[in-house]
Amino acid sequence: MTTLVAELSAIAGSAFAAEGLSAGFGQVQPSDRPDLAQFQCNGALAAAKQTRADPRRIAQKIADRLKADPVFARIEIAGPGFINLDVTDAALAVRMGAMAKDATLGAPRSGAGKTAVVDFGGPNVAKPMHVGHLRSAIIGDCLQRLFRANAWTVVSDVHLGDWGLQMGQLIGEIGRRSTAPVYFEAGFEGPYPEESPVTMDDLEEIYPVAAAACKADPGRLEEARRATAELQAGRPGYVALWRHFVEVSESGLRREYASLGIGFDLWNGEASVDPLVGPMIEDLKRRGLAEESDGALVVRVAEPGDKKDMPPLILLKSDGAVLYGTTDLATIVDRVKTCDPDLILYVVDQRQHGHFEQVFRAARKARLNGKAELEHAGFGTMNGADGKPFKTRAGGVMKLYDLIAMTTEEAKKRLAEAGLAKEYPEDERNDIARKVGIAALKFADLSNYRLTDYVFDLARFTRFEGKTGPYLQYAAVRIQSILRKAQAQDMAPAARSILQTPEERALILQLLALPDAMAAAEGKRAPNILCDYAFTLAQIFSRFYSEHHILSEKDAALRAARLGLAGLTLAALTKVLDLLGIEIPQRM
RNA sequence: GCACCGGUAGCUCAGUUGGAUAGAGCACCAGACUACGAAUCUGGGGGCCGCGGGUUCGAAUCCUGCCCGGUGCGCCA
């Protein structure tokens, strides 16, 4: 199923072709001036520029050809050469009927036969998740949902940070405290205890202490580096201790992501590719791609046309330890081997851009990436209301857990104020508050363009009027309520619409644009396009809703048609909210 | 110093191959609940699109030079 604008573009394209012009000029888009027309084609202007002809003349020729097609109700040339187009109500009704029958609502098939690995999350072992992890989680999850909906085979990977210096820092600190001496005994033959010597709470306390000590004292840093290198070299006690860190952290992380409704196909970490690192390095050395530089082993990635310095990717530090660039490279090898993706998408902070550029260049230079395109979809940093990196009122880092608790609490307060869920059981009220709070959080994040830094403003996020997640939930809940009442009165919706008013036409046009929004959002890896779509849809429906009463409509056919329209709106809204990772309560 | 990302209404942000009168939300002002849920809807005011130059019939968008903010640039992740 192609979309309406694609269909119109094809028609206009062949009109241009028939005039000996490129079919590309036929691109049709929703009108910038809805008061003048439903759609517009600007191709005559572009064509005129290229051929140095009169744009209105070209527009006239195209318009004359388009008149042959019955899909158009009105064709008009305006201004310097815009072609304004209206589609017949019958054509709209037919396409709406087709959309209603399609379970995917006409979703694009842009990923059919293709596989994408989406790498996001990237939490570190032994560190609690904080607000800084929110964007990767929310944006990455939205993209994995979107790509799946667009027929991609998606493999998402949380890519835990579990193999770097922070591991050595933890080991060093625990060694100093002598709370688990068995892991440090040189001659110990095992087995090591099953039970972890540290809890997640312990790790959360130990890590900052260790990190601060390493920062303050070069001796401690050296110690941590040595421990990291020994861990990576396979020292049994360290490996055993490390396993505990990972297990303890991972169960906590799974819970946190689950509370946001986010899941991953793979819970791999940097360490999981460790066995591949040695052979990969040997291979790169043998092919002359890896060379020694200042005691480290590097891959040079600078290219002749570079406008900036491009430092080499360091594979091995002078002490023999690997860096995250090394594991990232080995992870590409692993992914190519296990799922042979067409695309590997990294949803990671934009500040990592330089790093990924290095890794990608190294991978391409060594042809490690198979057929996969490597792409970094970065995002801006999240700041506090003062424009500086976000902190709690006390000046500390805000944990994700606390943040979710706060928004949920705020949502509960709002429900109480509005007197909305008064008679609902407490369980349901809590569930609604959770869904509303998370919707507010996710929508506020996703509606910003990915690359702009955004201000984390709890007061603004928990406001539920206007362009917010809860507004969309509310719109959906109202429709659900109407449909429930209709069903109770045995009123059936009709698939075929009866178009009578501007509000209905506007609604149908927006519904038919869903696949275009999904395709555009995928192309730009831009969830904010979906947010805009959903908000506009809800707004248009609300207008329709306030203008036309549905259930009390006397004309049964008209009533059924409007129910059908409401039903399709709900389906589209539910779909987009699902892509955004937002749940809709039964009632609220 | 070099590079990357931003600069659009009082605030937070959109703006699709360059196109018609630059759009939302919040805030402000004025309206709409004895009909389907008012967390809603309708209307209004509010803009040298950071600044200058250039390309074009036409620029928030492309090129160029500045200014401001953020970030990154060899052994952290």
Side-chain angles (χ1 to χ4, degrees), chain A residues 289-337:
Chain A
L289 294 165
E291 57 187 275
E292 209 211 279
S293 168
D294 296 337
L297 188 71
V298 306
V299 178
R300 301 206 180 274
V301 294
E303 287 165 11
D306 285 344
K307 281 192 281 187
K308 60 177 169 180
D309 278 354
M310 185 57 69
L313 182 74
I314 298 177
L315 295 173
L316 292 177
K317 300 197 287 183
S318 29
D319 66 5
V322 302
L323 290 167
Y324 76 137
T326 324
T327 51
D328 279 352
L329 207 55
T331 302
I332 293 174
V333 173
D334 180 46
R335 287 170 178 165
V336 168
K337 204 171 69 186

Short mmCIF file of all heavy atoms in Angstrom, two decimals, chain A residues 289-337:
data_model
loop_
_atom_site.label_atom_id
_atom_site.label_comp_id
_atom_site.label_asym_id
_atom_site.label_seq_id
_atom_site.Cartn_x
_atom_site.Cartn_y
_atom_site.Cartn_z
N LEU A 289 47.51 -3.10 9.31
CA LEU A 289 46.60 -1.99 9.62
C LEU A 289 46.84 -1.46 11.03
O LEU A 289 46.54 -0.31 11.32
CB LEU A 289 45.16 -2.45 9.47
CG LEU A 289 44.77 -2.79 8.02
CD1 LEU A 289 43.46 -3.58 7.98
CD2 LEU A 289 44.65 -1.52 7.20
N ALA A 290 47.35 -2.34 11.90
CA ALA A 290 47.63 -1.90 13.26
C ALA A 290 49.14 -1.71 13.39
O ALA A 290 49.92 -2.51 12.91
CB ALA A 290 47.14 -2.95 14.25
N GLU A 291 49.50 -0.61 14.02
CA GLU A 291 50.93 -0.35 14.17
C GLU A 291 51.22 0.22 15.54
O GLU A 291 50.32 0.73 16.22
CB GLU A 291 51.40 0.60 13.08
CG GLU A 291 50.62 1.91 13.07
CD GLU A 291 50.99 2.76 11.86
OE1 GLU A 291 51.99 3.47 11.96
OE2 GLU A 291 50.28 2.69 10.83
N GLU A 292 52.48 0.15 15.94
CA GLU A 292 52.85 0.65 17.24
C GLU A 292 53.11 2.15 17.18
O GLU A 292 53.65 2.65 16.21
CB GLU A 292 54.10 -0.07 17.73
CG GLU A 292 54.16 -0.15 19.23
CD GLU A 292 55.58 -0.15 19.74
OE1 GLU A 292 56.20 -1.21 19.70
OE2 GLU A 292 56.05 0.94 20.16
N SER A 293 52.67 2.84 18.24
CA SER A 293 52.89 4.28 18.30
C SER A 293 52.95 4.71 19.76
O SER A 293 52.00 4.50 20.51
CB SER A 293 51.74 5.00 17.58
OG SER A 293 51.79 6.38 17.85
N ASP A 294 54.07 5.26 20.16
CA ASP A 294 54.27 5.66 21.56
C ASP A 294 53.96 4.53 22.54
O ASP A 294 53.35 4.76 23.58
CB ASP A 294 53.39 6.88 21.92
CG ASP A 294 53.79 8.11 21.12
OD1 ASP A 294 54.94 8.15 20.65
OD2 ASP A 294 52.94 9.00 20.94
N GLY A 295 54.30 3.33 22.19
CA GLY A 295 54.09 2.21 23.10
C GLY A 295 52.70 1.60 23.02
O GLY A 295 52.44 0.55 23.60
N ALA A 296 51.78 2.26 22.32
CA ALA A 296 50.43 1.73 22.17
C ALA A 296 50.27 1.13 20.78
O ALA A 296 51.07 1.42 19.89
CB ALA A 296 49.41 2.83 22.38
N LEU A 297 49.24 0.30 20.62
CA LEU A 297 48.95 -0.25 19.31
C LEU A 297 47.75 0.50 18.73
O LEU A 297 46.69 0.57 19.36
CB LEU A 297 48.63 -1.74 19.42
CG LEU A 297 48.50 -2.47 18.09
CD1 LEU A 297 49.85 -2.62 17.40
CD2 LEU A 297 47.84 -3.83 18.27
N VAL A 298 47.95 1.08 17.55
CA VAL A 298 46.88 1.94 17.01
C VAL A 298 46.54 1.59 15.57
O VAL A 298 47.32 0.95 14.87
CB VAL A 298 47.29 3.43 17.06
CG1 VAL A 298 47.70 3.85 18.45
CG2 VAL A 298 48.43 3.71 16.07
N VAL A 299 45.35 2.04 15.15
CA VAL A 299 44.97 2.03 13.74
C VAL A 299 44.87 3.48 13.31
O VAL A 299 44.14 4.26 13.92
CB VAL A 299 43.60 1.34 13.52
CG1 VAL A 299 43.22 1.39 12.03
CG2 VAL A 299 43.63 -0.09 13.99
N ARG A 300 45.60 3.84 12.29
CA ARG A 300 45.53 5.23 11.83
C ARG A 300 44.27 5.42 10.98
O ARG A 300 43.99 4.61 10.10
CB ARG A 300 46.78 5.59 11.04
CG ARG A 300 48.04 5.43 11.86
CD ARG A 300 49.17 6.32 11.41
NE ARG A 300 50.34 6.09 12.25
CZ ARG A 300 50.56 6.71 13.42
NH1 ARG A 300 49.69 7.61 13.86
NH2 ARG A 300 51.61 6.43 14.14
N VAL A 301 43.54 6.47 11.28
CA VAL A 301 42.27 6.67 10.57
C VAL A 301 42.17 8.03 9.90
O VAL A 301 41.14 8.37 9.34
CB VAL A 301 41.06 6.48 11.52
CG1 VAL A 301 40.97 5.04 11.98
CG2 VAL A 301 41.14 7.42 12.71
N ALA A 302 43.24 8.81 9.95
CA ALA A 302 43.21 10.12 9.29
C ALA A 302 43.11 9.90 7.79
O ALA A 302 43.65 8.93 7.26
CB ALA A 302 44.46 10.91 9.63
N GLU A 303 42.36 10.77 7.10
CA GLU A 303 42.23 10.67 5.66
C GLU A 303 42.67 11.99 5.04
O GLU A 303 42.61 13.03 5.69
CB GLU A 303 40.77 10.35 5.30
CG GLU A 303 40.41 8.91 5.65
CD GLU A 303 38.91 8.63 5.67
OE1 GLU A 303 38.14 9.50 5.20
OE2 GLU A 303 38.53 7.56 6.17
N PRO A 304 43.10 11.94 3.77
CA PRO A 304 43.66 13.13 3.12
C PRO A 304 42.78 14.38 3.21
O PRO A 304 43.28 15.45 3.51
CB PRO A 304 43.82 12.69 1.66
CG PRO A 304 43.92 11.21 1.72
CD PRO A 304 43.12 10.76 2.90
N GLY A 305 41.48 14.24 2.98
CA GLY A 305 40.64 15.43 2.93
C GLY A 305 40.22 16.00 4.28
O GLY A 305 39.44 16.93 4.34
N ASP A 306 40.73 15.43 5.37
CA ASP A 306 40.26 15.83 6.70
C ASP A 306 40.49 17.31 7.00
O ASP A 306 41.56 17.84 6.76
CB ASP A 306 40.97 15.00 7.77
CG ASP A 306 40.42 13.60 7.83
OD1 ASP A 306 39.33 13.38 7.28
OD2 ASP A 306 41.08 12.73 8.43
N LYS A 307 39.45 17.91 7.56
CA LYS A 307 39.58 19.30 7.93
C LYS A 307 40.06 19.46 9.37
O LYS A 307 40.39 20.53 9.82
CB LYS A 307 38.23 20.01 7.78
CG LYS A 307 37.95 20.37 6.32
CD LYS A 307 36.77 21.32 6.20
CE LYS A 307 35.46 20.57 6.32
NZ LYS A 307 34.29 21.39 6.05
N LYS A 308 40.02 18.34 10.10
CA LYS A 308 40.44 18.41 11.49
C LYS A 308 41.37 17.25 11.80
O LYS A 308 41.46 16.29 11.04
CB LYS A 308 39.22 18.33 12.39
CG LYS A 308 38.44 17.05 12.19
CD LYS A 308 37.27 16.92 13.12
CE LYS A 308 36.39 15.76 12.68
NZ LYS A 308 35.24 15.55 13.49
N ASP A 309 42.05 17.37 12.91
CA ASP A 309 42.92 16.29 13.34
C ASP A 309 42.09 15.05 13.63
O ASP A 309 41.08 15.14 14.30
CB ASP A 309 43.63 16.69 14.65
CG ASP A 309 44.85 17.54 14.35
OD1 ASP A 309 45.16 17.69 13.14
OD2 ASP A 309 45.46 18.03 15.29
N MET A 310 42.52 13.94 13.13
CA MET A 310 41.81 12.70 13.42
C MET A 310 42.81 11.76 14.07
O MET A 310 43.59 11.10 13.39
CB MET A 310 41.24 12.12 12.12
CG MET A 310 40.38 10.88 12.30
SD MET A 310 38.96 11.05 13.38
CE MET A 310 37.92 12.16 12.42
N PRO A 311 42.82 11.73 15.39
CA PRO A 311 43.81 10.89 16.06
C PRO A 311 43.54 9.42 15.79
O PRO A 311 42.41 9.05 15.47
CB PRO A 311 43.61 11.22 17.55
CG PRO A 311 42.29 11.86 17.66
CD PRO A 311 41.96 12.45 16.33
N PRO A 312 44.56 8.59 15.86
CA PRO A 312 44.37 7.17 15.57
C PRO A 312 43.51 6.51 16.64
O PRO A 312 43.41 7.01 17.76
CB PRO A 312 45.79 6.61 15.60
CG PRO A 312 46.55 7.56 16.46
CD PRO A 312 45.94 8.90 16.25
N LEU A 313 42.90 5.40 16.27
CA LEU A 313 42.14 4.62 17.24
C LEU A 313 43.12 3.74 18.01
O LEU A 313 43.88 2.98 17.39
CB LEU A 313 41.11 3.75 16.52
CG LEU A 313 40.21 2.94 17.45
CD1 LEU A 313 39.18 3.84 18.13
CD2 LEU A 313 39.51 1.82 16.68
N ILE A 314 43.10 3.85 19.31
CA ILE A 314 44.03 3.05 20.12
C ILE A 314 43.41 1.70 20.44
O ILE A 314 42.32 1.61 21.02
CB ILE A 314 44.39 3.79 21.42
CG1 ILE A 314 45.11 5.09 21.07
CG2 ILE A 314 45.26 2.91 22.32
CD1 ILE A 314 45.45 5.94 22.26
N LEU A 315 44.09 0.65 20.02
CA LEU A 315 43.59 -0.71 20.27
C LEU A 315 44.08 -1.22 21.61
O LEU A 315 43.33 -1.81 22.38
CB LEU A 315 44.06 -1.65 19.17
CG LEU A 315 43.52 -1.38 17.77
CD1 LEU A 315 44.21 -2.29 16.77
CD2 LEU A 315 42.02 -1.58 17.73
N LEU A 316 45.38 -1.03 21.86
CA LEU A 316 45.98 -1.47 23.11
C LEU A 316 46.77 -0.34 23.72
O LEU A 316 47.57 0.30 23.04
CB LEU A 316 46.93 -2.66 22.86
CG LEU A 316 46.31 -3.98 22.43
CD1 LEU A 316 47.41 -5.02 22.16
CD2 LEU A 316 45.34 -4.51 23.47
N LYS A 317 46.52 -0.08 24.98
CA LYS A 317 47.31 0.91 25.69
C LYS A 317 48.71 0.36 25.90
O LYS A 317 48.96 -0.83 25.73
CB LYS A 317 46.67 1.22 27.05
CG LYS A 317 45.26 1.77 26.95
CD LYS A 317 44.85 2.45 28.25
CE LYS A 317 44.58 1.42 29.33
NZ LYS A 317 44.10 2.08 30.57
N SER A 318 49.60 1.24 26.32
CA SER A 318 50.97 0.76 26.51
C SER A 318 51.06 -0.30 27.61
O SER A 318 52.01 -1.08 27.64
CB SER A 318 51.92 1.93 26.79
OG SER A 318 51.25 2.98 27.43
N ASP A 319 50.06 -0.34 28.50
CA ASP A 319 50.09 -1.40 29.52
C ASP A 319 49.38 -2.67 29.05
O ASP A 319 49.20 -3.62 29.80
CB ASP A 319 49.49 -0.90 30.84
CG ASP A 319 48.00 -0.59 30.73
OD1 ASP A 319 47.40 -0.85 29.65
OD2 ASP A 319 47.41 -0.08 31.69
N GLY A 320 48.92 -2.68 27.81
CA GLY A 320 48.32 -3.88 27.27
C GLY A 320 46.81 -3.96 27.41
O GLY A 320 46.17 -4.86 26.86
N ALA A 321 46.21 -3.02 28.17
CA ALA A 321 44.76 -3.07 28.35
C ALA A 321 44.05 -2.54 27.11
O ALA A 321 44.60 -1.73 26.37
CB ALA A 321 44.36 -2.25 29.58
N VAL A 322 42.79 -3.01 26.91
CA VAL A 322 42.03 -2.53 25.77
C VAL A 322 41.20 -1.31 26.19
O VAL A 322 40.95 -1.10 27.37
CB VAL A 322 41.09 -3.61 25.21
CG1 VAL A 322 41.88 -4.84 24.81
CG2 VAL A 322 39.99 -3.96 26.21
N LEU A 323 40.81 -0.55 25.22
CA LEU A 323 39.96 0.61 25.48
C LEU A 323 38.58 0.35 24.87
O LEU A 323 38.37 -0.64 24.18
CB LEU A 323 40.58 1.86 24.85
CG LEU A 323 41.85 2.34 25.54
CD1 LEU A 323 42.55 3.37 24.68
CD2 LEU A 323 41.50 2.94 26.89
N TYR A 324 37.67 1.28 25.11
CA TYR A 324 36.32 1.00 24.59
C TYR A 324 36.25 1.05 23.08
O TYR A 324 35.36 0.43 22.49
CB TYR A 324 35.26 1.89 25.26
CG TYR A 324 35.17 3.33 24.83
CD1 TYR A 324 33.92 3.92 24.61
CD2 TYR A 324 36.29 4.12 24.67
CE1 TYR A 324 33.81 5.25 24.24
CE2 TYR A 324 36.18 5.44 24.30
CZ TYR A 324 34.94 6.01 24.08
OH TYR A 324 34.81 7.32 23.72
N GLY A 325 37.20 1.75 22.44
CA GLY A 325 37.26 1.71 20.98
C GLY A 325 37.58 0.30 20.49
O GLY A 325 37.05 -0.14 19.46
N THR A 326 38.41 -0.39 21.24
CA THR A 326 38.77 -1.76 20.88
C THR A 326 37.56 -2.68 20.97
O THR A 326 37.27 -3.46 20.06
CB THR A 326 39.85 -2.31 21.83
OG1 THR A 326 40.74 -1.25 22.19
CG2 THR A 326 40.61 -3.45 21.19
N THR A 327 36.85 -2.58 22.09
CA THR A 327 35.68 -3.45 22.26
C THR A 327 34.58 -3.04 21.27
O THR A 327 33.87 -3.91 20.76
CB THR A 327 35.14 -3.40 23.70
OG1 THR A 327 34.95 -2.05 24.10
CG2 THR A 327 36.11 -4.08 24.65
N ASP A 328 34.47 -1.76 20.97
CA ASP A 328 33.47 -1.33 19.98
C ASP A 328 33.76 -1.96 18.62
O ASP A 328 32.86 -2.41 17.92
CB ASP A 328 33.47 0.20 19.84
CG ASP A 328 32.66 0.87 20.95
OD1 ASP A 328 32.01 0.15 21.71
OD2 ASP A 328 32.71 2.11 21.04
N LEU A 329 35.03 -1.99 18.28
CA LEU A 329 35.43 -2.57 17.00
C LEU A 329 35.15 -4.08 16.99
O LEU A 329 34.60 -4.61 16.03
CB LEU A 329 36.92 -2.30 16.78
CG LEU A 329 37.44 -2.22 15.35
CD1 LEU A 329 36.66 -1.21 14.54
CD2 LEU A 329 38.93 -1.85 15.36
N ALA A 330 35.52 -4.72 18.09
CA ALA A 330 35.29 -6.17 18.17
C ALA A 330 33.79 -6.46 18.18
O ALA A 330 33.34 -7.49 17.67
CB ALA A 330 35.95 -6.74 19.42
N THR A 331 33.02 -5.55 18.74
CA THR A 331 31.57 -5.73 18.76
C THR A 331 31.00 -5.68 17.35
O THR A 331 30.06 -6.41 17.02
CB THR A 331 30.90 -4.64 19.64
OG1 THR A 331 31.44 -4.73 20.95
CG2 THR A 331 29.40 -4.83 19.71
N ILE A 332 31.59 -4.86 16.50
CA ILE A 332 31.16 -4.82 15.10
C ILE A 332 31.45 -6.18 14.45
O ILE A 332 30.59 -6.75 13.76
CB ILE A 332 31.88 -3.70 14.33
CG1 ILE A 332 31.41 -2.34 14.86
CG2 ILE A 332 31.62 -3.80 12.83
CD1 ILE A 332 32.17 -1.14 14.28
N VAL A 333 32.63 -6.71 14.71
CA VAL A 333 32.99 -8.03 14.19
C VAL A 333 31.97 -9.07 14.63
O VAL A 333 31.46 -9.86 13.84
CB VAL A 333 34.40 -8.45 14.67
CG1 VAL A 333 34.71 -9.89 14.27
CG2 VAL A 333 35.45 -7.50 14.10
N ASP A 334 31.65 -9.01 15.92
CA ASP A 334 30.69 -9.96 16.49
C ASP A 334 29.32 -9.83 15.83
O ASP A 334 28.68 -10.82 15.47
CB ASP A 334 30.58 -9.70 18.00
CG ASP A 334 29.61 -10.65 18.67
OD1 ASP A 334 29.69 -11.86 18.37
OD2 ASP A 334 28.78 -10.19 19.47
N ARG A 335 28.86 -8.60 15.67
CA ARG A 335 27.52 -8.38 15.11
C ARG A 335 27.44 -8.81 13.64
O ARG A 335 26.43 -9.36 13.21
CB ARG A 335 27.13 -6.90 15.26
CG ARG A 335 26.81 -6.57 16.70
CD ARG A 335 26.65 -5.08 16.93
NE ARG A 335 26.30 -4.84 18.33
CZ ARG A 335 26.36 -3.66 18.93
NH1 ARG A 335 26.78 -2.61 18.25
NH2 ARG A 335 26.02 -3.53 20.19
N VAL A 336 28.50 -8.54 12.92
CA VAL A 336 28.52 -8.96 11.52
C VAL A 336 28.46 -10.48 11.44
O VAL A 336 27.75 -11.05 10.62
CB VAL A 336 29.78 -8.42 10.80
CG1 VAL A 336 29.97 -9.09 9.44
CG2 VAL A 336 29.67 -6.90 10.62
N LYS A 337 29.19 -11.13 12.35
CA LYS A 337 29.22 -12.59 12.36
C LYS A 337 27.86 -13.17 12.76
O LYS A 337 27.38 -14.11 12.16
CB LYS A 337 30.30 -13.06 13.35
CG LYS A 337 30.82 -14.46 13.06
CD LYS A 337 32.03 -14.78 13.94
CE LYS A 337 31.61 -14.92 15.39
NZ LYS A 337 32.77 -15.09 16.29
#
